[in-house]
Amino acid sequence: MLEMRTNPPVFKAPRPLAGRVRVPGDKSISHRSLMLAALAVGTSRIEGLLEGEDVLATAAALRAMGASIERGGDGAWTVNGVGVGGLLQPATALDMGNSGTSTRLLLGLIASHPITATFIGDASLSRRPMKRVIDPLSLMGADFTASPGGTLPLMVRGLCPAVPIAYRLPVASAQVKSAILLAGLNAPGITRVIEPVPTRDHSERMLKGFGADLEISYEEGPRIISIRGEAELRPQQIVVPGDPSSAAFPVVAALLVPGSEIVVENVGLNPTRAALFDMLRAMGGSIFEEKRREVGGEPVADLRVKASNLTGIEVPPEIAPSMIDEFPVLFVAAAMAKGRTVTRGLEELRVKESDRLALMARGLARCGVIVEERADGLVIEGRDGAPFVSNDRPIIAADLDHRIAMSFTIASFASRDGIAVDDMSPVDTSFPGFADLLRSLGAETAA
Ligand code: S3P
């Protein structure tokens, strides 16, 4: 008989964390590498692809639409593309699992192809808003039948030729921006996205790298991205840098565990992604860049991190998009800092893989932290290094959210009795090998 697991494993750091580690490839760049390679004519090669469930969902969907995608014995991936306009009708529903990026970007791709596809996903993805992509892609001529509230499951019927549009983003979202640009690849003429608040720019960099005619201007203040459609993409050799959003977890762990010193190698430091490290430094965190270089057209460095006494800060709301996925672990760092940390402008965190403001507020409160949940952010009274405590040993519900699961794993290192997470399986969506990486730095698990 199977034993019921009532005591999930708890991570502890019995000694300072030490060592050199590499985190898996960048999730955003990995999705885009596969998609653009699938639209190029010829064979692309991708090194360092994130082999997480989210990216594998993108690969499976692209295969279902005609691209050939294989992993070689050396760990590099090869993709034989079908050419812009060449995607085929998938025979079955496309299962997006937990992945919002796969869903929103692939909806963009399909919107300007003459095919129909059904998108399904897990319970978390099926509550996330898709209207933000349905609206602009409908203007381009695609037809959608979504579940009530504009969620998955949904069906899209693409239009070819699609109508090029000029669209001002109502939410700061790289996924929405990218969906429109990808749809624009196969629309005649120029498609424009007007971006009042800059978001991660991997799509722009990579589309240019693949040979698309893409221009960025600032004529009216906001960033305007223009792409010429009916593009011909040339296959590329891509090297994916390490994901700063994954690096965030060992970095915060090393800051919090007294006496630690680690190096996280090969971390992507694109300025539209790297604000967490700036904020942690502003809090007093000792994070040094070593060997700054370029990998795959992106700035990269090794990060040397030493345990530090942190001080609370006000996080400027305008930088939120440059660290949008890092707030859960920033909240953990803030909870151990001296003084108050105030965050604002974070409404988007409520529609990620979970409601991250609610889950982090609730979970930290169970760990003895004084935290105020506001509509658009958290206010956290730091414990000035005093370990997290609770009456019972808390088991945190991750609610199918990888970053909640990983954040409370890091919090466990700074706790008196350990903090358990009910379900660590979502971690495989973005960070396969997370637990082993922590163990290689000296962490241990106890039942
Ligand atoms: C992503 C953009 C972000 C981020 C997500 C990945 C991307 O979402 O949260 O994990 O690859 O474009 P939004 O653009 O919706 O904020």
Side-chain angles (χ1 to χ4, degrees), residues 147-171:
S147 299
T151 55
L152 263 51
L154 70 71
M155 201 179 77
V156 54
R157 186 165 353 110
L159 179 71
C160 186
V163 183
I165 56 168
Y167 192 79
R168 189 183 176 93
L169 293 179
V171 277

PDB file of all heavy atoms in Angstrom, residues 147-171:
ATOM      1  N   SER A 147     -13.605  30.070 -22.687  1.00  0.00           N
ATOM      2  CA  SER A 147     -14.478  29.767 -21.561  1.00  0.00           C
ATOM      3  C   SER A 147     -14.919  31.081 -20.918  1.00  0.00           C
ATOM      4  O   SER A 147     -14.273  32.117 -21.116  1.00  0.00           O
ATOM      5  CB  SER A 147     -13.723  28.902 -20.555  1.00  0.00           C
ATOM      6  OG  SER A 147     -13.335  27.689 -21.170  1.00  0.00           O
ATOM      7  N   PRO A 148     -16.025  31.038 -20.130  1.00  0.00           N
ATOM      8  CA  PRO A 148     -16.520  32.284 -19.519  1.00  0.00           C
ATOM      9  C   PRO A 148     -15.394  32.987 -18.748  1.00  0.00           C
ATOM     10  O   PRO A 148     -14.607  32.339 -18.067  1.00  0.00           O
ATOM     11  CB  PRO A 148     -17.606  31.785 -18.547  1.00  0.00           C
ATOM     12  CG  PRO A 148     -18.022  30.445 -19.078  1.00  0.00           C
ATOM     13  CD  PRO A 148     -16.838  29.862 -19.791  1.00  0.00           C
ATOM     14  N   GLY A 149     -15.313  34.296 -18.917  1.00  0.00           N
ATOM     15  CA  GLY A 149     -14.245  35.039 -18.248  1.00  0.00           C
ATOM     16  C   GLY A 149     -12.983  35.113 -19.094  1.00  0.00           C
ATOM     17  O   GLY A 149     -11.959  35.622 -18.653  1.00  0.00           O
ATOM     18  N   GLY A 150     -13.055  34.578 -20.325  1.00  0.00           N
ATOM     19  CA  GLY A 150     -11.897  34.673 -21.223  1.00  0.00           C
ATOM     20  C   GLY A 150     -10.745  33.794 -20.786  1.00  0.00           C
ATOM     21  O   GLY A 150      -9.584  34.216 -20.804  1.00  0.00           O
ATOM     22  N   THR A 151     -11.057  32.569 -20.367  1.00  0.00           N
ATOM     23  CA  THR A 151     -10.007  31.660 -19.894  1.00  0.00           C
ATOM     24  C   THR A 151      -9.954  30.400 -20.754  1.00  0.00           C
ATOM     25  O   THR A 151     -10.773  30.207 -21.649  1.00  0.00           O
ATOM     26  CB  THR A 151     -10.288  31.254 -18.431  1.00  0.00           C
ATOM     27  OG1 THR A 151     -11.605  30.706 -18.370  1.00  0.00           O
ATOM     28  CG2 THR A 151     -10.184  32.435 -17.483  1.00  0.00           C
ATOM     29  N   LEU A 152      -8.960  29.550 -20.456  1.00  0.00           N
ATOM     30  CA  LEU A 152      -8.887  28.232 -21.093  1.00  0.00           C
ATOM     31  C   LEU A 152      -9.946  27.322 -20.484  1.00  0.00           C
ATOM     32  O   LEU A 152     -10.320  27.558 -19.340  1.00  0.00           O
ATOM     33  CB  LEU A 152      -7.491  27.624 -20.849  1.00  0.00           C
ATOM     34  CG  LEU A 152      -6.451  27.784 -21.948  1.00  0.00           C
ATOM     35  CD1 LEU A 152      -6.306  29.210 -22.398  1.00  0.00           C
ATOM     36  CD2 LEU A 152      -5.105  27.227 -21.495  1.00  0.00           C
ATOM     37  N   PRO A 153     -10.378  26.264 -21.158  1.00  0.00           N
ATOM     38  CA  PRO A 153     -10.062  25.917 -22.534  1.00  0.00           C
ATOM     39  C   PRO A 153     -10.597  26.963 -23.514  1.00  0.00           C
ATOM     40  O   PRO A 153     -11.656  27.529 -23.286  1.00  0.00           O
ATOM     41  CB  PRO A 153     -10.782  24.580 -22.752  1.00  0.00           C
ATOM     42  CG  PRO A 153     -11.175  24.090 -21.402  1.00  0.00           C
ATOM     43  CD  PRO A 153     -11.262  25.272 -20.527  1.00  0.00           C
ATOM     44  N   LEU A 154      -9.846  27.169 -24.591  1.00  0.00           N
ATOM     45  CA  LEU A 154     -10.336  28.071 -25.627  1.00  0.00           C
ATOM     46  C   LEU A 154      -9.924  27.576 -27.004  1.00  0.00           C
ATOM     47  O   LEU A 154      -8.993  26.780 -27.142  1.00  0.00           O
ATOM     48  CB  LEU A 154      -9.869  29.509 -25.385  1.00  0.00           C
ATOM     49  CG  LEU A 154      -8.424  29.943 -25.538  1.00  0.00           C
ATOM     50  CD1 LEU A 154      -7.952  29.977 -26.966  1.00  0.00           C
ATOM     51  CD2 LEU A 154      -8.303  31.351 -24.956  1.00  0.00           C
ATOM     52  N   MET A 155     -10.673  28.064 -28.008  1.00  0.00           N
ATOM     53  CA  MET A 155     -10.369  27.695 -29.388  1.00  0.00           C
ATOM     54  C   MET A 155     -10.042  28.964 -30.163  1.00  0.00           C
ATOM     55  O   MET A 155     -10.698  29.988 -29.966  1.00  0.00           O
ATOM     56  CB  MET A 155     -11.571  27.006 -30.007  1.00  0.00           C
ATOM     57  CG  MET A 155     -11.238  26.157 -31.206  1.00  0.00           C
ATOM     58  SD  MET A 155     -12.712  25.372 -31.838  1.00  0.00           S
ATOM     59  CE  MET A 155     -13.460  26.733 -32.686  1.00  0.00           C
ATOM     60  N   VAL A 156      -9.020  28.895 -30.990  1.00  0.00           N
ATOM     61  CA  VAL A 156      -8.669  30.043 -31.827  1.00  0.00           C
ATOM     62  C   VAL A 156      -8.706  29.615 -33.283  1.00  0.00           C
ATOM     63  O   VAL A 156      -8.246  28.530 -33.634  1.00  0.00           O
ATOM     64  CB  VAL A 156      -7.262  30.599 -31.461  1.00  0.00           C
ATOM     65  CG1 VAL A 156      -6.188  29.538 -31.496  1.00  0.00           C
ATOM     66  CG2 VAL A 156      -6.869  31.759 -32.375  1.00  0.00           C
ATOM     67  N   ARG A 157      -9.301  30.481 -34.115  1.00  0.00           N
ATOM     68  CA  ARG A 157      -9.224  30.272 -35.564  1.00  0.00           C
ATOM     69  C   ARG A 157      -8.443  31.436 -36.141  1.00  0.00           C
ATOM     70  O   ARG A 157      -8.850  32.601 -36.033  1.00  0.00           O
ATOM     71  CB  ARG A 157     -10.626  30.187 -36.174  1.00  0.00           C
ATOM     72  CG  ARG A 157     -10.535  29.831 -37.654  1.00  0.00           C
ATOM     73  CD  ARG A 157     -11.833  29.366 -38.343  1.00  0.00           C
ATOM     74  NE  ARG A 157     -12.973  29.163 -37.494  1.00  0.00           N
ATOM     75  CZ  ARG A 157     -14.056  29.942 -37.497  1.00  0.00           C
ATOM     76  NH1 ARG A 157     -14.128  31.001 -38.279  1.00  0.00           N
ATOM     77  NH2 ARG A 157     -15.079  29.668 -36.716  1.00  0.00           N
ATOM     78  N   GLY A 158      -7.281  31.143 -36.709  1.00  0.00           N
ATOM     79  CA  GLY A 158      -6.421  32.193 -37.239  1.00  0.00           C
ATOM     80  C   GLY A 158      -6.943  32.722 -38.565  1.00  0.00           C
ATOM     81  O   GLY A 158      -7.761  32.082 -39.229  1.00  0.00           O
ATOM     82  N   LEU A 159      -6.450  33.913 -38.936  1.00  0.00           N
ATOM     83  CA  LEU A 159      -6.836  34.508 -40.220  1.00  0.00           C
ATOM     84  C   LEU A 159      -5.578  34.765 -41.031  1.00  0.00           C
ATOM     85  O   LEU A 159      -4.609  35.337 -40.527  1.00  0.00           O
ATOM     86  CB  LEU A 159      -7.565  35.833 -39.986  1.00  0.00           C
ATOM     87  CG  LEU A 159      -8.001  36.554 -41.265  1.00  0.00           C
ATOM     88  CD1 LEU A 159      -9.146  35.815 -41.954  1.00  0.00           C
ATOM     89  CD2 LEU A 159      -8.414  37.989 -40.955  1.00  0.00           C
ATOM     90  N   CYS A 160      -5.594  34.345 -42.293  1.00  0.00           N
ATOM     91  CA  CYS A 160      -4.459  34.590 -43.167  1.00  0.00           C
ATOM     92  C   CYS A 160      -4.975  35.065 -44.522  1.00  0.00           C
ATOM     93  O   CYS A 160      -5.722  34.333 -45.156  1.00  0.00           O
ATOM     94  CB  CYS A 160      -3.647  33.308 -43.341  1.00  0.00           C
ATOM     95  SG  CYS A 160      -2.138  33.570 -44.266  1.00  0.00           S
ATOM     96  N   PRO A 161      -4.643  36.248 -44.985  1.00  0.00           N
ATOM     97  CA  PRO A 161      -3.757  37.207 -44.324  1.00  0.00           C
ATOM     98  C   PRO A 161      -4.450  37.914 -43.153  1.00  0.00           C
ATOM     99  O   PRO A 161      -5.626  38.260 -43.256  1.00  0.00           O
ATOM    100  CB  PRO A 161      -3.412  38.198 -45.435  1.00  0.00           C
ATOM    101  CG  PRO A 161      -4.547  38.117 -46.411  1.00  0.00           C
ATOM    102  CD  PRO A 161      -5.095  36.726 -46.329  1.00  0.00           C
ATOM    103  N   ALA A 162      -3.678  38.125 -42.085  1.00  0.00           N
ATOM    104  CA  ALA A 162      -4.185  38.847 -40.920  1.00  0.00           C
ATOM    105  C   ALA A 162      -4.071  40.352 -41.159  1.00  0.00           C
ATOM    106  O   ALA A 162      -3.437  40.783 -42.129  1.00  0.00           O
ATOM    107  CB  ALA A 162      -3.374  38.447 -39.685  1.00  0.00           C
ATOM    108  N   VAL A 163      -4.694  41.111 -40.279  1.00  0.00           N
ATOM    109  CA  VAL A 163      -4.702  42.563 -40.430  1.00  0.00           C
ATOM    110  C   VAL A 163      -3.612  43.149 -39.528  1.00  0.00           C
ATOM    111  O   VAL A 163      -3.645  42.938 -38.319  1.00  0.00           O
ATOM    112  CB  VAL A 163      -6.078  43.126 -39.981  1.00  0.00           C
ATOM    113  CG1 VAL A 163      -6.152  44.618 -40.194  1.00  0.00           C
ATOM    114  CG2 VAL A 163      -7.211  42.384 -40.675  1.00  0.00           C
ATOM    115  N   PRO A 164      -2.645  43.879 -40.070  1.00  0.00           N
ATOM    116  CA  PRO A 164      -1.642  44.490 -39.180  1.00  0.00           C
ATOM    117  C   PRO A 164      -2.298  45.595 -38.353  1.00  0.00           C
ATOM    118  O   PRO A 164      -3.174  46.291 -38.857  1.00  0.00           O
ATOM    119  CB  PRO A 164      -0.601  45.051 -40.155  1.00  0.00           C
ATOM    120  CG  PRO A 164      -1.310  45.220 -41.450  1.00  0.00           C
ATOM    121  CD  PRO A 164      -2.443  44.231 -41.491  1.00  0.00           C
ATOM    122  N   ILE A 165      -1.889  45.717 -37.088  1.00  0.00           N
ATOM    123  CA  ILE A 165      -2.504  46.729 -36.223  1.00  0.00           C
ATOM    124  C   ILE A 165      -1.425  47.574 -35.541  1.00  0.00           C
ATOM    125  O   ILE A 165      -0.249  47.195 -35.527  1.00  0.00           O
ATOM    126  CB  ILE A 165      -3.385  46.087 -35.114  1.00  0.00           C
ATOM    127  CG1 ILE A 165      -2.575  45.077 -34.259  1.00  0.00           C
ATOM    128  CG2 ILE A 165      -4.608  45.422 -35.715  1.00  0.00           C
ATOM    129  CD1 ILE A 165      -3.296  44.635 -32.986  1.00  0.00           C
ATOM    130  N   ALA A 166      -1.869  48.694 -34.980  1.00  0.00           N
ATOM    131  CA  ALA A 166      -1.027  49.449 -34.039  1.00  0.00           C
ATOM    132  C   ALA A 166      -1.752  49.346 -32.712  1.00  0.00           C
ATOM    133  O   ALA A 166      -2.943  49.684 -32.628  1.00  0.00           O
ATOM    134  CB  ALA A 166      -0.893  50.894 -34.480  1.00  0.00           C
ATOM    135  N   TYR A 167      -1.083  48.857 -31.679  1.00  0.00           N
ATOM    136  CA  TYR A 167      -1.781  48.533 -30.426  1.00  0.00           C
ATOM    137  C   TYR A 167      -1.006  49.049 -29.239  1.00  0.00           C
ATOM    138  O   TYR A 167       0.183  48.754 -29.085  1.00  0.00           O
ATOM    139  CB  TYR A 167      -1.952  47.006 -30.331  1.00  0.00           C
ATOM    140  CG  TYR A 167      -2.905  46.566 -29.247  1.00  0.00           C
ATOM    141  CD1 TYR A 167      -4.282  46.632 -29.425  1.00  0.00           C
ATOM    142  CD2 TYR A 167      -2.422  46.077 -28.036  1.00  0.00           C
ATOM    143  CE1 TYR A 167      -5.165  46.234 -28.432  1.00  0.00           C
ATOM    144  CE2 TYR A 167      -3.299  45.671 -27.027  1.00  0.00           C
ATOM    145  CZ  TYR A 167      -4.670  45.757 -27.242  1.00  0.00           C
ATOM    146  OH  TYR A 167      -5.535  45.346 -26.257  1.00  0.00           O
ATOM    147  N   ARG A 168      -1.689  49.816 -28.418  1.00  0.00           N
ATOM    148  CA  ARG A 168      -1.073  50.334 -27.195  1.00  0.00           C
ATOM    149  C   ARG A 168      -1.377  49.357 -26.063  1.00  0.00           C
ATOM    150  O   ARG A 168      -2.542  49.059 -25.790  1.00  0.00           O
ATOM    151  CB  ARG A 168      -1.673  51.713 -26.895  1.00  0.00           C
ATOM    152  CG  ARG A 168      -0.985  52.443 -25.805  1.00  0.00           C
ATOM    153  CD  ARG A 168      -1.711  53.780 -25.550  1.00  0.00           C
ATOM    154  NE  ARG A 168      -1.095  54.444 -24.427  1.00  0.00           N
ATOM    155  CZ  ARG A 168      -0.125  55.333 -24.533  1.00  0.00           C
ATOM    156  NH1 ARG A 168       0.300  55.708 -25.714  1.00  0.00           N
ATOM    157  NH2 ARG A 168       0.406  55.864 -23.458  1.00  0.00           N
ATOM    158  N   LEU A 169      -0.344  48.853 -25.412  1.00  0.00           N
ATOM    159  CA  LEU A 169      -0.548  47.835 -24.372  1.00  0.00           C
ATOM    160  C   LEU A 169      -1.249  48.443 -23.162  1.00  0.00           C
ATOM    161  O   LEU A 169      -0.723  49.373 -22.550  1.00  0.00           O
ATOM    162  CB  LEU A 169       0.797  47.259 -23.919  1.00  0.00           C
ATOM    163  CG  LEU A 169       1.604  46.431 -24.914  1.00  0.00           C
ATOM    164  CD1 LEU A 169       2.911  45.975 -24.265  1.00  0.00           C
ATOM    165  CD2 LEU A 169       0.812  45.220 -25.403  1.00  0.00           C
ATOM    166  N   PRO A 170      -2.421  47.895 -22.781  1.00  0.00           N
ATOM    167  CA  PRO A 170      -3.090  48.416 -21.587  1.00  0.00           C
ATOM    168  C   PRO A 170      -2.477  47.884 -20.288  1.00  0.00           C
ATOM    169  O   PRO A 170      -2.633  48.480 -19.237  1.00  0.00           O
ATOM    170  CB  PRO A 170      -4.539  47.940 -21.740  1.00  0.00           C
ATOM    171  CG  PRO A 170      -4.514  46.833 -22.735  1.00  0.00           C
ATOM    172  CD  PRO A 170      -3.230  46.904 -23.505  1.00  0.00           C
ATOM    173  N   VAL A 171      -1.788  46.724 -20.354  1.00  0.00           N
ATOM    174  CA  VAL A 171      -1.037  46.225 -19.193  1.00  0.00           C
ATOM    175  C   VAL A 171       0.415  46.051 -19.621  1.00  0.00           C
ATOM    176  O   VAL A 171       0.681  45.720 -20.780  1.00  0.00           O
ATOM    177  CB  VAL A 171      -1.521  44.836 -18.688  1.00  0.00           C
ATOM    178  CG1 VAL A 171      -2.702  44.935 -17.772  1.00  0.00           C
ATOM    179  CG2 VAL A 171      -1.770  43.870 -19.830  1.00  0.00           C
TER     180      VAL A 171
END
